Amino acid sequence: MAKPPKAFATTGRSRKGEPLVWLTALGLTLGVLMTLWLLGLVVYKGCQTFWPDRLQVFEVKTDSGTEKVAGYEVLDRDRRDGDGNLHHEVQLFRGNVELYGEKFVFLDSSSIVSREQADDLLLVERLAGGNVIGRAKAIELADGSRMGPEDPSFEDELEALIEVNEDRRDELRDVEKFQIGKNSKRIKELELKKRLIADGKVGGSIPEIDAELEKLQAEYEELFAEKVKIEELMKARHLYIEAVDGREIVISGESLLHVLRPNEVGFFGRLGEMLRRIWNFLTMDPREANTEGGVYPAIFGTVIMTIVMSLFVTPFGVIAAIYLREYAKQGPFVRAVRISVNNLAGVPSIVFGVFGLAFFIYFVGGVVDGVFFPNAEEPVYKSGGILWASLTLALLTVPVVIVATEEALAAVPRGVREAALACGASKWQAIQRVVLPASLPGILTGVILAMARGAGEVAPLMLVGVVKSAPDLPIDVTAPFIHPERQFMHLGFHIYDLGFQSPDSEAAKPMVFATTLLLITIVVVMNLAAIIIRNRLRKKYATSSF
Amino acid sequence: MHEMVTTADRIDERVSQAAVEVRDVDFCYGSSLALEDISFDIPSSQIVAFIGPSGCGKSTLLRCFNRMNDLVPGARVTRGTIHIDGVEIHSPEVDPVELRRRIGMVFQKSNPFPRSIYENVAYGPRLTGVKDKGELDGIVESALRGSALWDEVKDRLEESAFGLSGGQQQRLCIARTIAVKPEIVLMDEPCSALDPVATAKVEELILELKKNYTIVIVTHNMQQARRVSDQTAFFYLGKLIEYGETSRIFSNPERVETEDYITGRFG
């Protein structure tokens, strides 16, 4: 008995789904998972950097008995030694470089006799030499006498010492950086002028200059004396710390930054400490070969460079695209240009770096120096700087903007163009008043992509102006305020430098994650800003739904 | 051929008041002939309807009048002349931009600019250099009144033009066109995307505009041609088959193709 035929046979496929659809879903899932994993790792590790861990005292077996060491646990892992035996070990941050030489140590679990949390341990942050872990022993007062931690006013004294030194550090920076800097700049100028007069190139009287130079020299000596005085004042007082093994560490007031008792503070205390650390990270200059302190100059450099790059790349790319799409006679030549532009996006970025070095720095910079600074002792524009780096990146990202703009122009409905022309607009008037506004959201998408690409690029920058440490920002309060020739720091390069060029890679590891997190955050924030602008424009210039 | 002569004779009677004179025009897209040997006159201050099946060349001819076909690569008039106010529009001294200011056009799909209602209407006058705010306000108001849209939009001039309904958008496009104060208004199936109510409004408006403008309207809607136009031209396969008073064309066509088309036997 045959079954009666069904009117609509259901195939297996429509029940189980198309295998290719499953494959595409799988691909997307994998991509999303990997991205989430990467982001999660960076966010977790980046935040962990700032969270104050509890300090522990470990008692460790040695050849001659036991030894105490204090610190916080960084890593917990199994390691296979040369004979194939598994060892469980703990990585400890113990600080106190002058006692141990290294900030980090691996302890074999089998050698740990005991571990305990001791309440009175201090974590002292220093300007140089890294953190110190130990117990407070004494503080040196203004009259030279010592006060022990048992004294009820010990805490207040310690706090006052930190505060007064903070003020003195500001004072010192003012004297060193601004006053002495201004003085020596003026001396340099006068000396150059003197030389020029001696050569007969410009007019002027040498004795007059000599008199001013003498005055400046005197002023310099005065400033230098002031600087030494402040330093002496800061060095005069000390904090004495006793490490858990009984040895003493003397911290000069000059170096003392912050004291925390991580085992005594509660959750909110630790949260406050975390915020303080994040704030310092964002606002301070780097110290200790970039492994400590903040990344403020790098943030500044990254943001300024990206903005300057966008300012160059947007008009340039848009103008090029308008000509290509609207005016150029479409034919084999324009097609070749278009293909070349697209392929430009695939050229390795280091090649752009080399080009930037050769063209912008050596050639353009050389010409600028020859014309405007013929007497400068050091090259001004003929060396890497933020202007050249921005231009190099603009060149690198211009294909993105051109392609996006062309697409946006092509997407403007033909009817709108014809309407503008039928109203008596010339071609340029139609483009300027109707076509460009309508394609603005698409153009901005291109700029967003270009910014994201530019902000994350590192390799070409290393050739055209990014350096490991540049304490002078490209924009500051000394005339002429904007210094496009200055070298600068960049977060991307900072990551590379910390992770792979640092003398103490263990100490730099947390900073690598924190800096990565920051770079991602900055790129996201800049993109969000551009996206918000784009959405506003899209609403304003919404294309016809009719 | 003798029909053509009759048509030409009729044209000669009012050649003095002709706004557009088309003589022996051939038109090509690349190598394919789209219009062949077209000759007729469009009298001023009248409404002329172009009817015919799709692809018969009526839109092409319309777009010749304001040289919109210049934008299409390979499209050109290969023979004949088009005189508007006695000037051959393809002669080198005629600036197409200037020509389009004098000959406005309304398109099949309403195509307001992605800007405010006010800016849409003020676009044309601004191009001719009107900067004074008071003068612009006046032009915008009279153009919107002229297109019977003023009362509906006077309180929201600064809002986006896309907030208007389809019919309102089309009337806005008409306002935008007449704001430039053209002499001739070309309309390329202006009602084909509108519902009957909006169509009625636009038709009413077209009749109103007749007082001041010469209007050429392309339409697929026979009733519409009958309702609004004074003269009707029937095109078929790139040729002008018949041209004359609308009432005569619809009641007593001379050519059998015309009769077949208007009675719905083909097309």
Side-chain angles (χ1 to χ4, degrees):
Chain A
M1 289 286 275
K3 282 185 194 168
K6 280 184 190 160
F8 297 102
T10 50
T11 65
R13 281 202 163 171
S14 69
R15 282 173 183 277
K16 291 176 195 155
E18 298 273 358
L20 279 176
V21 176
W22 283 99
L23 205 65
T24 54
L26 189 72
L28 178 69
T29 314
L30 275 178
V32 168
L33 277 181
M34 283 195 314
T35 312
L36 283 182
W37 182 73
L38 175 72
L39 276 180
L41 179 80
V42 170
V43 169
Y44 173 71
K45 288 278 193 180
C47 290
Q48 204 188 29
T49 311
F50 301 110
W51 185 251
D53 275 311
R54 302 283 192 208
L55 293 176
Q56 290 178 323
V57 180
F58 290 79
E59 204 173 351
V60 186
K61 264 189 285 190
T62 59
D63 301 336
S64 57
T66 62
E67 199 182 83
K68 277 186 174 176
V69 58
Y72 56 82
E73 196 182 309
V74 181
L75 199 71
D76 184 308
R77 70 170 187 194
D78 288 321
R79 183 178 58 89
R80 201 174 284 279
D81 66 12
D83 302 330
N85 303 317
L86 264 185
H87 293 269
H88 182 253
E89 56 182 16
V90 171
Q91 192 189 19
L92 195 68
F93 174 84
R94 57 180 178 180
N96 302 3
V97 272
E98 51 268 79
L99 302 185
Y100 303 123
E102 296 232 325
K103 289 176 192 163
F104 290 84
V105 67
F106 279 103
L107 300 177
D108 204 300
S109 288
S110 59
S111 70
I112 297 175
V113 180
S114 72
R115 52 203 284 182
E116 52 160 355
Q117 263 186 37
D119 277 350
D120 53 350
L121 282 176
L122 290 184
L123 181 71
V124 185
E125 228 174 88
R126 293 188 291 184
L127 202 57
N131 293 347
V132 169
I133 294 169
R135 295 189 170 86
K137 198 172 176 192
I139 186 168
E140 198 172 318
L141 298 181
D143 57 4
S145 61
R146 290 187 177 196
M147 179 194 274
E150 64 287 347
D151 197 300
S153 58
F154 178 82
E155 291 290 320
D156 295 338
E157 278 295 334
L158 186 57
E159 221 158 89
L161 178 63
I162 292 171
E163 240 164 67
V164 75
N165 278 336
E166 216 160 272
D167 294 344
R168 281 184 187 142
R169 249 191 303 275
D170 287 346
E171 224 173 295
L172 192 67
R173 185 167 36 212
D174 180 58
V175 172
E176 265 184 340
K177 211 167 164 180
F178 298 115
Q179 303 195 26
I180 295 185
K182 218 159 106 188
N183 182 286
S184 48
K185 195 178 159 202
R186 184 78 191 129
I187 289 179
K188 240 185 187 170
E189 277 170 20
L190 285 175
E191 273 170 353
L192 177 68
K193 199 170 173 196
K194 203 169 129 187
R195 226 175 40 235
L196 289 177
I197 293 172
D199 291 353
K201 282 182 186 159
V202 291
S205 90
I206 293 185
E208 233 172 72
I209 291 176
D210 277 340
E212 204 186 334
L213 271 177
E214 215 163 288
K215 222 174 78 200
L216 284 170
Q217 193 60 38
E219 193 187 292
Y220 172 74
E221 265 151 35
E222 216 172 277
L223 286 170
F224 190 76
E226 197 183 333
K227 176 188 155 198
V228 171
K229 204 181 95 200
I230 299 173
E231 281 173 350
E232 295 282 303
L233 269 176
M234 287 169 72
K235 278 181 195 158
R237 299 184 60 186
H238 297 91
L239 174 67
Y240 300 92
I241 297 285
E242 188 188 270
V244 281
D245 57 3
R247 287 187 282 179
E248 186 187 77
I249 299 171
V250 186
I251 301 170
S252 150
E254 186 196 15
S255 181
L256 183 62
L257 279 180
H258 183 75
V259 175
L260 177 78
R261 295 171 186 276
N263 293 359
E264 283 179 12
V265 292
F267 174 76
F268 288 104
R270 290 166 91 185
L271 199 67
E273 169 69 8
M274 180 169 155
L275 293 177
R276 190 190 71 84
R277 287 182 184 179
I278 293 177
W279 178 248
N280 282 347
F281 178 68
L282 295 178
T283 58
M284 281 172 70
D285 286 347
R287 308 188 303 263
E288 301 282 298
N290 291 352
T291 58
E292 298 210 1
V295 292
Y296 177 66
I299 300 175
F300 198 85
T302 309
V303 172
I304 294 291
M305 187 207 66
T306 311
I307 291 174
V308 174
M309 177 203 79
S310 315
L311 292 183
F312 281 120
V313 77
T314 312
F316 190 65
V318 170
I319 288 169
I322 288 177
Y323 191 83
L324 258 186
R325 169 66 59 181
E326 303 285 341
Y327 287 100
K329 195 166 181 290
Q330 304 297 322
F333 180 69
V334 166
R335 216 166 27 243
V337 169
R338 197 167 281 138
I339 290 170
S340 310
V341 166
N342 290 345
N343 280 327
L344 214 54
V347 172
S349 54
I350 192 76
V351 174
F352 283 95
V354 175
F355 177 80
L357 181 68
F359 179 72
F360 289 125
I361 298 181
Y362 291 158
F363 177 67
V364 182
V367 170
V368 170
D369 270 7
V371 173
F372 294 101
F373 307 96
N375 299 310
E377 285 169 12
E378 292 159 3
V380 182
Y381 281 94
K382 201 184 168 178
S383 72
I386 194 160
L387 176 68
W388 301 140
S390 303
L391 278 171
T392 305
L393 279 196
L395 212 60
L396 180 86
T397 49
V398 80
V400 181
V401 178
I402 291 182
V403 170
T405 306
E406 273 211 78
E407 296 292 325
L409 289 174
V412 173
R414 194 186 140 125
V416 175
R417 276 168 208 272
E418 287 190 337
L421 294 172
C423 281
S426 65
K427 187 162 186 181
W428 173 246
Q429 284 171 325
I431 290 172
Q432 185 196 1
R433 306 255 193 101
V434 175
V435 177
L436 266 188
S439 53
L440 216 50
I443 294 174
L444 270 172
T445 304
V447 174
I448 291 168
L449 288 174
M451 272 169 67
R453 168 117 202 251
E457 198 61 69
V458 178
L461 296 179
M462 294 174 10
L463 302 179
V464 291
V466 156
V467 284
K468 184 185 171 75
S469 166
D472 292 328
L473 300 177
I475 296 177
D476 64 14
V477 291
T478 54
F481 310 116
I482 295 169
H483 311 276
E485 80 286 1
R486 274 192 189 163
Q487 297 188 315
F488 64 107
M489 291 175 72
H490 185 275
L491 285 170
F493 181 71
H494 202 75
I495 294 169
Y496 167 72
D497 179 62
L498 282 171
F500 303 100
Q501 305 285 295
S502 166
D504 187 351
S505 61
E506 281 300 334
K509 213 155 80 181
M511 290 286 277
V512 170
F513 282 109
T515 312
T516 309
L517 180 62
L518 184 65
L519 180 57
I520 293 176
T521 313
I522 285 181
V523 171
V524 168
V525 166
M526 284 198 288
N527 279 350
L528 273 183
I531 287 169
I532 288 170
I533 296 174
R534 182 183 64 185
N535 288 353
R536 288 233 175 112
L537 287 172
R538 198 172 271 168
K539 223 173 265 169
K540 196 169 161 197
Y541 298 120
T543 28
S544 175
S545 53
F546 181 63
Chain B
M1 208 58 205
H2 65 277
E3 286 86 0
M4 281 330 269
V5 177
T6 357
T7 323
D9 285 342
R10 198 171 292 129
I11 290 163
D12 285 337
E13 289 164 21
R14 41 177 137 74
V15 74
S16 55
Q17 41 178 315
V20 183
E21 295 168 38
V22 184
R23 291 286 174 275
D24 311 323
V25 165
D26 284 1
F27 186 92
C28 289
Y29 286 111
S31 58
S32 74
L33 198 61
L35 291 173
E36 199 183 339
D37 199 27
I38 309 284
S39 292
F40 71 112
D41 283 6
I42 292 173
S44 66
S45 293
Q46 290 213 358
I47 301 177
V48 177
F50 288 2
I51 59 170
S54 295
C56 68
K58 53 195 190 307
S59 284
T60 301
L61 182 62
L62 191 75
R63 291 164 64 94
C64 279
F65 295 162
N66 66 347
R67 286 182 61 180
M68 221 46 174
N69 286 324
D70 290 10
L71 308 178
V72 183
R76 70 212 177 276
V77 173
T78 48
R79 191 173 72 92
T81 57
I82 299 173
H83 283 82
I84 292 179
D85 278 348
V87 179
E88 157 55 40
I89 60 166
H90 291 97
S91 61
E93 69 268 18
V94 172
D95 175 10
V97 172
E98 193 55 44
L99 178 75
R100 288 179 200 135
R101 280 182 194 155
R102 292 176 52 192
I103 303 170
M105 186 162 192
V106 177
F107 296 84
Q108 177 176 8
K109 259 176 79 174
S110 68
N111 48 5
F113 301 135
R115 318 188 82 165
S116 70
I117 294 170
Y118 183 94
E119 282 303 318
N120 261 281
V121 183
Y123 181 79
R126 271 193 216 279
L127 290 175
T128 54
V130 179
K131 288 205 177 72
D132 180 57
K133 178 80 177 137
E135 197 184 343
L136 270 181
D137 287 349
I139 294 173
V140 170
E141 182 177 342
S142 66
L144 285 172
R145 279 190 194 284
S147 66
L149 196 60
W150 175 252
D151 291 329
E152 291 162 60
V153 302
K154 63 181 177 210
D155 299 324
R156 46 174 179 150
L157 289 176
E158 294 310 318
E159 283 174 31
S160 167
F162 293 133
L164 298 174
S165 72
Q168 286 174 324
Q169 284 190 18
Q170 194 59 295
R171 277 182 287 151
L172 179 68
C173 292
I174 294 174
R176 183 175 66 190
T177 304
I178 60 179
V180 195
K181 301 201 171 65
E183 292 147 31
I184 302 172
V185 177
L186 310 175
M187 295 186 170
D188 192 355
E189 299 179 45
C191 300
S192 66
L194 302 182
D195 67 71
V197 178
T199 302
K201 275 196 173 163
V202 172
E203 281 180 11
E204 205 177 300
L205 174 61
I206 292 171
L207 288 170
E208 190 63 31
L209 291 175
K210 185 183 148 185
K211 290 174 191 160
N212 301 311
Y213 305 96
T214 305
I215 295 171
V216 186
I217 178 169
V218 169
T219 179
H220 271 135
N221 181 333
M222 238 77 71
Q223 276 68 40
Q224 184 173 58
R226 204 171 198 164
R227 280 194 297 264
V228 299
S229 68
D230 301 309
Q231 310 283 330
T232 297
F234 172 62
F235 292 85
Y236 184 58
L237 296 178
K239 287 182 183 142
L240 177 62
I241 305 298
E242 192 166 356
Y243 178 56
E245 300 256 345
T246 302
S247 50
R248 186 193 58 76
I249 294 260
F250 279 93
S251 59
N252 185 23
E254 288 171 3
R255 295 283 299 258
V256 63
E257 293 100 318
T258 315
E259 192 177 354
D260 286 351
Y261 184 70
I262 60 178
T263 52
R265 226 165 281 162
F266 80 98

